Each structure stands twice: as structure tokens, then as C-alpha cells.
Amino acid sequence: MKICIVGLGLIGGSYAMGLSLKGHEVYGIDQNIKSIEYAKEKNYIKEGFIDEYHILSKCDCIILAIYPQAILDFLKQHSHLFKEDQVITDVCGVKSSFVRKATLLAGKATYLSHHPMAGKEKIGIEYADASIFKGANFLLTPIDSLHPHAEEVLKQIAKDLEFGRITTISIERHDQMIGFTSQLTHAIAVSLVNSDQDEDTVKFIGDSYRDLTRIAMINDTLWSELFLENKEYLLEHIINFEKELDILKNALKHNDKDTLKQLFNQSTQIRRKMEK
């Protein structure tokens, strides 16, 4: 396929790397000339562009790897270049706030949003790594019924990038679940790190703290958008988390060993089921 990736950051760059290795003809669009030069040097893309968009009309698939608030503006500006049998998608971590509008703005093309459940705590194309997708979850989020051609294109991309499970869900269900499995976990990591009041913490860090706080190294611009655009679901999950933390806190206050053991056993059983 001829594929154009808009946004050559960590995820866009990793897509470019993996898809080029699988023989696709990949092009890139980015406002940062250094990102384009890096992608060309590494053979992630055949050609890159800063402000020339004619390549959009020549591609079978357009992947938008840009911030959610930028997606609609991009579609509005370049809708005249989209064509029939062309698939437009995005890798955004929220969906409800823009996908319906994006679908209309795609015009003749077919818009089918998806979400690769993979990433790193680093940002920038220099950290691109297609191996982060291997075995990861790949979420398809149509607004109505799946378009057969678009589904085929995106499943081929998922296969080429070696994703594991492919799941089709509504955009509302996506945002509800991602609010819990992704955004809440980032909120917890950020809050844990920011609650540190001891300058000697670094001397006592082990695997538990390291694993739990890795995602506290966070892209502030992107994640501020993601949190705010999904705040209803995220606030609901934070409230439920606070309730569970209060149960544990009260057990400590009252020296309630039985409740603590019950909580630990419950979490162990739930987590073990995920391993299956």
C-alpha cells in the first residue's frame, strides 16, 4: 500500500519504521524538518513533506498521528484531496470528542479510527521502535458498522506491525475503558511521584516504584488534551479508585488485618486472571 503518516513522532515514526520494513511505500508529513530528515535517513519513509500536501491524494491510507485537537483542523484544510476507496485513520487515545466530526470531514474517503495500545515514556522519532507493537492490543472504533474495505486495510496494518488481539468497540466504550486502563494509571503514577517529599527517595527505589512510576514521565501537552477530552469517564474512575484506597486506609487505621488480607487476595486473583 501507499501510506502517508501525518506526524512523525514516537508512534508515527514507529508506524513508519514497521510498515516500511513490511514493504509498504510510506510517506511522511511533519512540521519539523529534523523529524523528516531523520525518517529519511533511517529509511522509515520514501519522502517527507512540511507544507506540501499533494501526496495525500496519491495514498491508499492516511494515518493521523497528531494531537486530537489538531485532527479536525487537518481534515478541514485538506478534505479536497481525499478520494474514494481511501482510508483515513488516527492513533488517538480518545475518540468520542472528534471521531463523528472527522468521519464527515473525510468526505469521499472512509474514516475508521483505531488505537494502538502501545507506547513509551519517551517522545520524538529518535525513539521510534516498531517492536513496541508486537503482541499489543489493537482497537478498532467504528461509529456505526464496519466498512469492509477500511477494516481490511487496518487489519493488514495491525498484522504487519505484529499486533496481538484486535478488538472492535464503540467510541464510547473505548473512552470508558481507556479512561481506566490508561488515563487513570497515568494519573496515579503522576500523583505518586508528585507526592514525594523526601530528597533521599532515589536511594530506596526498587522494581515496585520503578515499574509503577515509569509512565509518570509524560508528554504534558498531549496528555493534558487526553485527560480533558475524556474527563467525565476519568473523573468517575478516579472516584472509584479513591473509594478503594479509603477502604485500605481505614483498615490500616483500625489494625484490621483481615480486611487487608481480603483486599490483597482479591487483587491477586483478579490480576492472575489477566495473565490468562
Side-chain angles (χ1 to χ4, degrees):
M1 281 188 291
K2 284 188 177 181
I3 299 172
C4 182
I5 299 175
V6 182
L8 295 173
L10 170 68
I11 299 300
S14 298
Y15 266 57
M17 175 195 292
L19 293 172
S20 291
L21 287 172
K22 291 295 183 177
H24 295 285
E25 189 175 316
V26 180
Y27 297 88
I29 294 177
D30 198 283
Q31 295 179 342
N32 187 341
I33 186 62
K34 292 184 178 180
S35 296
I36 292 173
E37 290 173 346
Y38 186 92
K40 287 188 66 176
E41 178 186 343
K42 297 292 184 179
N43 294 317
Y44 298 168
I45 59 174
K46 183 174 182 179
E47 188 57 77
F49 309 91
I50 296 178
D51 52 11
E52 297 180 33
Y53 301 100
H54 62 275
I55 190 63
L56 295 172
S57 64
K58 300 177 182 179
C59 290
D60 304 303
C61 180
I62 300 170
I63 300 174
L64 303 177
I66 52 181
Y67 292 176
Q69 292 183 8
I71 290 175
L72 294 180
D73 287 339
F74 185 90
L75 293 172
K76 288 176 184 177
Q77 293 171 17
H78 308 296
S79 59
H80 62 285
L81 295 172
F82 305 148
K83 61 182 183 179
E84 292 183 8
D85 296 326
Q86 189 176 57
V87 176
I88 304 177
T89 187
D90 67 85
V91 299
C92 190
V94 293
K95 303 298 182 187
S96 301
S97 61
F98 75 91
V99 169
R100 294 187 188 280
K101 293 179 181 178
T103 301
L104 295 175
L105 291 172
K108 296 179 181 179
T110 300
Y111 199 97
L112 176 55
S113 186
H114 80 282
H115 187 185
M117 293 300 296
K120 286 183 178 181
E121 66 276 13
K122 306 290 186 180
I123 61 174
I125 193 170
E126 61 269 28
Y127 297 105
D129 179 6
S131 69
I132 63 174
F133 304 127
K134 188 172 184 177
N137 286 320
F138 187 92
L139 307 179
L140 287 173
T141 55
I143 58 171
D144 294 309
S145 58
L146 271 171
H147 186 283
H149 175 62
E151 179 184 10
E152 180 182 346
V153 167
L154 287 182
K155 285 187 174 180
Q156 184 61 53
I157 287 174
K159 179 181 178 182
D160 289 341
L161 292 175
E162 300 185 36
F163 278 90
R165 182 188 293 111
I166 299 175
T167 303
T168 300
I169 55 174
S170 69
I171 57 176
E172 291 80 13
R173 179 62 171 163
H174 168 276
D175 287 0
Q176 179 189 37
M177 292 305 300
I178 294 305
F180 181 74
T181 62
S182 179
Q183 293 173 351
L184 176 62
T185 52
H186 280 78
I188 292 169
V190 167
S191 300
L192 175 59
V193 169
N194 288 341
S195 72
D196 183 15
Q197 299 178 1
D198 196 317
E199 62 183 17
D200 289 331
T201 297
V202 68
K203 301 176 184 178
F204 300 91
I205 290 175
D207 289 343
S208 298
Y209 186 90
R210 188 177 297 110
D211 291 345
L212 188 58
T213 60
R214 175 184 61 81
I215 57 174
M217 295 183 287
I218 194 169
N219 181 331
D220 57 329
T221 302
L222 172 61
W223 282 89
S224 295
E225 286 191 26
L226 295 176
F227 272 33
L228 289 171
E229 294 199 16
N230 203 37
K231 67 178 183 180
E232 287 79 12
Y233 286 124
L234 180 54
L235 284 170
E236 179 182 332
H237 294 313
I238 289 174
I239 290 169
N240 290 335
F241 176 76
E242 288 173 335
K243 290 178 181 177
E244 285 297 319
L245 194 60
D246 281 340
I247 294 173
L248 193 151
K249 182 173 66 176
N250 287 330
L252 285 173
K253 283 183 178 180
H254 297 94
N255 294 312
D256 188 348
K257 185 176 181 180
D258 288 339
T259 295
L260 288 175
K261 290 175 66 177
Q262 179 182 350
L263 292 172
F264 299 156
N265 285 329
Q266 179 180 342
S267 66
T268 298
Q269 295 304 315
I270 293 173
R271 186 63 181 83
R272 279 178 178 166
K273 290 180 181 178
M274 297 179 188
E275 298 297 328
K276 299 177 181 178

